Amino acid sequence: MIVFVIFYLIVKYILLICKKVEKEVVMINIIKGILISISLLVPGVSGGTMMIILGVYDQAIEALSKLMSFRLIHVILIIQLAIGGLLGLALFSNGM
């Protein structure tokens, strides 16, 4: 339950600082991050393949390559995918 509260607060914070980006786009990127992390849990399916299928691979590679320039839109995309990835791993992986 605490995991959900923490992720909810993080997503709310991201939505507050993303005034330039539409909120629907933010939620779609978080859902894409969840799907990518779920694909990492399936044997034989890579996260890169799922990123290509979802159409986010080019954006993610560009965002990672320009991360050093600290352009806000690229940092926000990485944060959105990371939140989705962490949420997907927390929800769909077996805890040891």
Side-chain angles (χ1 to χ4, degrees):
M1 183 68 178
I2 287 187
V3 173
F4 292 115
V5 173
I6 291 171
F7 282 116
Y8 173 77
L9 293 174
I10 291 171
V11 169
K12 279 301 246 189
Y13 178 72
I14 293 296
L15 290 175
L16 287 175
I17 63 171
C18 296
K19 296 189 182 198
K20 293 182 181 178
V21 182
E22 296 180 15
K23 293 183 180 186
E24 293 84 15
V25 174
V26 173
M27 293 309 295
I28 288 172
N29 285 336
I30 291 174
I31 291 171
K32 286 180 181 181
I34 291 172
L35 292 174
I36 291 166
S37 68
I38 291 171
S39 72
L40 292 173
L41 300 174
V42 177
V45 181
S46 78
T49 304
M50 186 57 74
M51 290 173 78
I52 291 171
I53 291 170
L54 294 173
V56 74
Y57 183 79
D58 292 331
Q59 295 172 351
I61 294 299
E62 182 182 358
L64 288 174
S65 68
K66 300 204 177 189
L67 187 63
M68 297 308 288
S69 66
F70 294 108
R71 293 186 182 168
L72 185 61
I73 190 76
H74 298 299
V75 173
I76 289 174
L77 176 68
I78 294 295
I79 291 171
Q80 292 166 0
L81 291 175
I83 288 172
L86 292 174
L87 185 59
L89 287 176
L91 293 176
F92 295 102
S93 67
N94 291 335
M96 292 189 161

